Amino acid sequence: RALRRRFVFVVFPLLNPDGVALGNGRSNSAGLDLNRYWENPPAGSEVAVVRRELAKLQASPPGIFAHLDLHAHSGKHGVFTLSNPGCTALPDWLAESGDVLFDRAQCTFSATKGKRGSARCVSWREFGVLHAHTIEASYGKIPSKQRHLT
């Protein structure tokens, strides 16, 4: 409740429902990996629409405090962040919470050329959102690898 009193949450759920219906995990029905087109999204694409809305939100007071892009991960265990350089506050806070699922050691803090077109990098670099992260969560295991999640 305290968070809702202080912040407005804007949620853009599942940008690729057409792709998911076709069995794609990251791409839409046109085959575009939607998390690599945030820098220059194709006109009329899902990313172009959301990016335009984010620009409006950032331009209006008080702007965007945080951008959290939620993903599932099939190759790593637990929950971790892909964060931009110097953006350690959220991962540090999650690590301090003591949650067994969060694995601070797997977090990365970079904005490489290969990630340049991702939502978190564009929000951080172009919109000035300091707290822009991709939060990755395992499809099925905690960091200790000792038990499956259900």
Side-chain angles (χ1 to χ4, degrees):
R1 289 182 186 189
L3 284 174
R4 289 192 315 220
R5 281 192 291 267
R6 187 165 178 199
F7 298 102
V8 173
F9 289 82
V10 179
V11 179
F12 299 100
L14 191 59
L15 294 189
N16 64 331
D18 54 338
V20 169
L22 295 173
N24 302 334
R26 295 175 58 104
S27 58
N28 64 8
S29 61
L32 297 174
D33 179 348
L34 297 179
N35 204 38
R36 294 297 178 265
Y37 283 92
W38 283 81
E39 198 169 28
N40 296 303
S45 69
E46 301 89 333
V47 172
V49 172
V50 172
R51 184 186 157 110
R52 188 170 44 250
E53 291 304 311
L54 288 174
K56 288 179 192 175
L57 289 167
Q58 185 62 3
S60 65
I64 299 172
F65 178 76
H67 179 158
L68 305 177
D69 190 11
L70 308 177
H71 287 238
H73 202 290
S74 61
K76 292 187 178 182
H77 302 279
V79 178
F80 57 96
T81 68
L82 304 176
S83 303
N84 297 303
C87 298
T88 62
L90 176 69
D92 289 346
W93 178 78
L94 290 170
E96 290 169 8
S97 75
D99 192 306
V100 68
L101 294 178
F102 188 73
D103 187 359
R104 176 68 166 74
Q106 290 193 83
C107 296
T108 62
F109 302 91
S110 64
T112 63
K113 185 177 180 181
K115 302 287 186 183
R116 184 176 177 90
S118 69
R120 69 162 170 101
C121 287
V122 169
S123 285
W124 175 69
R125 191 180 60 255
E126 295 185 24
F127 299 142
V129 179
L130 177 62
H131 303 286
H133 306 271
T134 300
I135 299 177
E136 297 276 357
S138 171
Y139 280 124
K141 290 200 175 192
I142 61 173
S144 69
K145 303 176 188 174
Q146 293 177 351
R147 66 182 172 116
H148 288 276
L149 302 175
T150 57

